[in-house]
Amino acid sequence: MTTRNIIQGYFDSLKANQGWESFLSEEIQFTNFTSPVRRTTGKLACLEALKRFYSMMTVLEIKEIIVDGSKACVLTRYELQPPGSAVFESHIAEVFEVAGDKITSFGIYFDSAPYPKRAPEK
């Protein structure tokens, strides 16, 4: 399969909320490039990081997929609804690397300003 096929399959499965996990390698490295940068290694840790975000997803729109060999950048727009909060929109650049028909590296870049803020701890 090509890089584009794997990435498209991942997003198609994500939209269907079914089987997207199968596209991730066991050794995947996931990086959230917000401040502070957060990195996780391994499929289980990556799933923990992603499931919370994906559980809030009400809309996923792919704006563009750019592929260069084993690397891809996907520009996406999500509508998210945290429990007990209003829906908000987030535009994300998602950067992938693929090897052996699996996603081995996944990084996200987005403006965290629209995300609901946690109440300060007392």
Side-chain angles (χ1 to χ4, degrees), residues 78-90:
Y78 291 90
E79 289 182 17
L80 304 164
Q81 185 167 22
S85 298
V87 173
F88 67 96
E89 175 177 83
S90 183

Side-chain angles (χ1 to χ4, degrees), residues 94-115:
E94 305 186 41
V95 180
F96 298 89
E97 191 159 352
V98 172
D101 291 342
K102 296 285 184 180
I103 297 169
T104 58
S105 177
F106 178 15
I108 58 173
Y109 298 84
F110 63 95
D111 179 3
S112 62
Y115 283 77

